[in-house]
Amino acid sequence: MVSSEGGSSNSGGGELMRRKVLGLGYWVQGFRCFPWLAVNFFLKDGLNVDPSTLQLLQNSANLPMVGKPLYGLVSDSVYISGQHRLPYIALGAFLQALSWLAIAISPSNISIFTISIYLLLSNLGASLAEVANDAIVAEMGKQPPSSTKHSQSSSSGNLQSFVWIASSVGGVLGNLLGGIFIGRFSPQSMFLFFGLLLALQFFITISVHENSLGLPVSPSVGMRKQLSALSHALRKPKIAYSISWFAASYAIIPALTGTMFFYQTQYLKIDSSVLGISKVFGQATMLLWGIVYNQYLKSVPPRKLISAIQATMAFFMISDFLFVRGFYRQMGVPDSLYVVIFSGFLEVLFFFKILPFSVLIAQLCPPGCEGSIMAFLMSAVALAFIVSGYLGVALASYIKVTGTDFSGLPLGLVIQATCTLLPIFWSSCIPEYVKPKAKRKD
């Protein structure tokens, strides 16, 4: 355990070590898009799965993400050799390395069941690491100020900005390299590279002791007490209604990601490097969104901003409808240009709501429950995305889309856009304003 002096006397060295550990952790977290791009092509070209099966596998592999609140409770309560953050980051890196290396050395005719198990194991490891990394950031944000409130706020904000940038840089680099590598190397080579990278993260993490991070001392609280606090917070109407609306606003949309991937690569013959650049463009707009929100949109009422993002999502889905019908092609816009800009932007637009909603939930949370509530929120969002994916599979089946027949896709996109607009009609579940009084009492 960290002594009470350790966090303060060693704050300079602790901050540097924290940034190294968190920088690596969040960078690897962002870089996970590198092997996942290869997974899509491996399933499509190597195992010859159809669009619905591809989407089913993509979404089912995210099931471990739903357990994040449980992982957070275990990390908070169960210490390993006097540490309760770094061991879980190391375990997460180990499980991911094990799964990706196993896929890399597996025969090319690996069964769909086997690769599904490996992908589930990978996402379990990623979830453990993400929860522990997020907990360190949350703990540092709750430290008592050493000098002034302003300096503490600035320090916490700097750490948040640092990990956001680290994750975004990993995402940009992962998508860029993924788009380049997929045309030059086999998917198994990409899995091997990422597995070795995770093995390196594992060895670096186990070589660091938690004492050197200068984390604040937090007495171990039993899981029962933490569950009770979480349950009490979730019974507050503003929190319960807000999270329910937010999760439903994703779950109600039938995702057609697998179908669009097949349409772009199989029907339009879009090159893999173009898809990589599209994802890089999306990651860049995510980074820009964070800057724009912090500079100009923080004062906008959350209900108004989140509803506007929801409506914008529907607008871009209608744009996809026009794209599939050949409208932009007739105007002289190349398919590859549309995929890079519009498809890349729509893919990340789904996540734009998370930033303002996270700020809102942080304001609504009772003191001491921020970490648990955020883990619960991310779990609810993960479950919503899974439901959205399954609905998308059902919709693709209903409109009779296959790997070679996309005639029903325009209808599917219209249905998708309509479903996206529906949550706006009950957006009153989200508070218009949040009084900052409660937060000051901490």
Side-chain angles (χ1 to χ4, degrees):
M1 297 269 305
V2 187
S3 68
S4 55
E5 286 177 63
S8 54
S9 63
N10 233 355
S11 62
E15 182 177 359
L16 180 61
M17 186 57 72
R18 272 196 309 273
R19 285 180 175 262
K20 286 181 179 178
V21 171
L22 289 173
L24 176 62
Y26 278 91
W27 183 86
V28 171
Q29 185 176 318
F31 197 76
R32 288 180 67 234
C33 55
F34 175 80
W36 276 98
L37 180 61
V39 167
N40 291 338
F41 282 96
F42 180 68
L43 292 172
K44 180 177 80 75
D45 300 327
L47 300 184
N48 298 314
V49 301
D50 56 62
S52 294
T53 305
L54 173 64
Q55 189 161 314
L56 201 61
L57 288 172
Q58 286 174 332
N59 289 280
S60 298
N62 287 326
L63 283 170
M65 300 288 185
V66 179
K68 278 189 173 184
L70 175 61
Y71 314 148
L73 288 171
V74 172
S75 172
D76 287 342
S77 309
V78 181
Y79 284 68
I80 301 172
S81 300
Q83 307 172 84
H84 70 137
R85 300 302 181 206
L86 290 187
Y88 294 98
I89 296 175
L91 177 60
F94 176 78
L95 291 176
Q96 290 181 83
L98 185 67
S99 59
W100 288 112
L101 290 174
I103 299 174
I105 63 175
S106 295
S108 56
N109 62 343
I110 180 175
S111 71
I112 292 178
F113 175 77
T114 304
I115 195 172
S116 298
I117 295 298
Y118 289 145
L119 293 177
L120 284 167
L121 185 64
S122 167
N123 277 343
L124 173 61
S127 301
L128 287 170
E130 285 173 18
V131 165
N133 279 320
D134 291 345
I136 293 175
V137 175
E139 279 184 322
M140 295 314 300
K142 287 198 252 179
Q143 277 197 101
S146 54
S147 54
T148 64
K149 286 186 181 180
H150 175 73
S151 65
Q152 171 61 20
S153 168
S154 172
S155 170
S156 175
N158 285 340
L159 187 59
Q160 290 279 4
S161 300
F162 172 75
V163 297
W164 176 277
I165 290 170
S167 178
S168 297
V169 169
V172 169
L173 189 61
N175 282 312
L176 184 61
L177 291 180
I180 296 171
F181 278 37
I182 197 69
R184 292 168 172 77
F185 302 96
S186 67
Q188 285 91 337
S189 301
M190 296 173 67
F191 303 150
L192 177 64
F193 175 79
F194 189 62
L196 293 175
L197 179 64
L198 288 162
L200 178 63
Q201 183 194 11
F202 168 74
F203 286 115
I204 290 174
T205 305
I206 62 174
S207 70
V208 178
H209 197 278
E210 211 162 284
N211 285 348
S212 64
L213 302 185
L215 298 181
V217 179
S218 52
S220 179
V221 180
M223 274 200 231
R224 187 174 295 178
K225 283 188 178 179
Q226 291 195 337
L227 272 173
S228 175
L230 175 61
S231 174
H232 177 73
L234 290 174
R235 283 198 294 268
K236 293 181 178 292
K238 282 188 177 180
I239 294 177
Y241 294 159
S242 296
I243 292 180
S244 298
W245 182 92
F246 195 69
S249 73
Y250 284 117
I252 200 172
I253 304 170
L256 293 170
T257 48
T259 303
M260 285 301 290
F261 175 76
F262 264 77
Y263 176 74
Q264 292 170 358
T265 57
Q266 195 85 359
Y267 184 76
L268 298 180
K269 306 296 182 186
I270 298 290
D271 190 74
S272 58
S273 61
V274 174
L275 293 183
I277 295 170
S278 169
K279 292 179 182 293
V280 169
F281 179 81
Q283 288 288 336
T285 57
M286 275 282 281
L287 189 56
L288 182 62
W289 166 244
I291 297 169
V292 170
Y293 175 78
N294 281 317
Q295 291 291 326
Y296 306 108
L297 299 175
K298 268 188 175 179
S299 59
V300 177
R303 184 193 302 171
K304 183 178 178 181
L305 181 58
I306 292 169
S307 296
I309 295 171
Q310 192 81 11
T312 306
M313 288 163 55
F315 171 80
F316 274 88
M317 289 170 188
I318 293 298
S319 178
D320 271 357
F321 163 78
L322 296 174
F323 170 64
V324 172
R325 293 298 295 266
F327 175 76
Y328 295 107
R329 202 174 301 122
Q330 292 169 8
M331 292 178 61
V333 177
D335 292 337
S336 56
L337 182 62
Y338 181 91
V339 168
V340 167
I341 297 176
F342 287 84
S343 297
F345 182 65
L346 177 59
E347 187 173 341
V348 298
L349 186 59
F350 276 78
F351 301 98
F352 275 28
K353 293 187 297 182
I354 292 177
L355 182 55
F357 191 78
S358 297
V359 172
L360 169 67
I361 287 296
Q363 292 172 339
L364 293 174
C365 276
C369 279
E370 297 89 347
S372 299
I373 290 291
M374 287 308 297
F376 181 85
L377 171 63
M378 292 301 107
S379 168
V381 170
L383 181 59
F385 272 116
I386 291 170
V387 172
S388 168
Y390 291 162
L391 285 178
V393 171
L395 177 59
S397 175
Y398 172 73
I399 59 179
K400 295 180 171 53
V401 168
T402 66
T404 53
D405 181 8
F406 298 94
S407 57
L409 184 54
L411 174 60
L413 292 168
V414 171
I415 294 173
Q416 186 186 51
T418 304
C419 292
T420 304
L421 286 173
L422 290 178
I424 297 175
F425 294 102
W426 70 86
S427 61
S428 56
C429 292
I430 305 171
E432 188 69 34
Y433 294 98
V434 179
K435 295 180 182 176
K437 289 194 233 179
K439 193 167 180 181
R440 291 199 181 177
K441 271 190 171 177
D442 187 20

